Amino acid sequence: MQVKKTLLALGLLLPMAAMAMPKGFVDPTTFKGSEAEKQSAINYIKARTQKDMKTIGVDSPATLRMMEQSNLDAFKQLTAATDKKLLKKVIETYCGQIDMCTYQNLKMMYDRDLEASKQDLNW
């Protein structure tokens, strides 16, 4: 009986674990602009950019700074998103379901989804 309860609990928790945001991720939809939040966003951007650049074998300081700045600019733009519900969906997909959780990527996908949500199929 205890084994069944444990398996049931694991079955319920595993999907939630798969949806967990990356460590240090600052959600632009709830960002208030405090100095602590700003520093957290910068820390996440630095760590994520270094991880991504190391993965592809790039260690150029100029490239790293450029990518960090691009992500910070994207984050700032995302804090002003007009459709928060759509942005939350994008974040859930690219940060919770697959590991593509850079603010650049989120901004690009949000912009594309926002544009597509206003289109209709025509002949």
Side-chain angles (χ1 to χ4, degrees), residues 26-33 37 75 79 84 87-88 91:
V26 178
D27 188 336
T29 66
T30 59
F31 183 76
K32 301 291 185 231
E37 285 179 309
F75 177 81
T79 64
K84 300 287 187 189
L87 179 53
K88 282 197 172 285
I91 291 169

Side-chain angles (χ1 to χ4, degrees), residues 81-88 110 114 117:
T82 55
D83 189 337
K84 300 287 187 189
K85 185 177 178 181
L86 178 63
L87 179 53
K88 282 197 172 285
Y110 169 76
L114 186 61
S117 71

Side-chain angles (χ1 to χ4, degrees), residues 49-108:
T49 305
Q50 288 175 4
K51 174 186 171 248
D52 290 348
M53 293 294 107
K54 187 180 279 188
T55 299
I56 60 172
V58 175
D59 64 353
S60 161
T63 302
L64 189 59
R65 293 296 94 69
M66 183 178 61
M67 296 302 293
E68 289 171 347
Q69 188 61 54
S70 182
N71 269 291
L72 181 57
D73 292 344
F75 177 81
K76 289 175 181 178
Q77 292 169 356
L78 289 171
T79 64
T82 55
D83 189 337
K84 300 287 187 189
K85 185 177 178 181
L86 178 63
L87 179 53
K88 282 197 172 285
K89 222 185 234 189
V90 169
I91 291 169
E92 182 180 300
T93 299
Y94 292 94
C95 296
Q97 295 176 6
I98 56 180
D99 185 23
M100 295 178 67
C101 195
T102 65
Y103 295 114
Q104 288 174 304
N105 189 54
L106 296 175
K107 172 82 170 86
M108 179 182 65

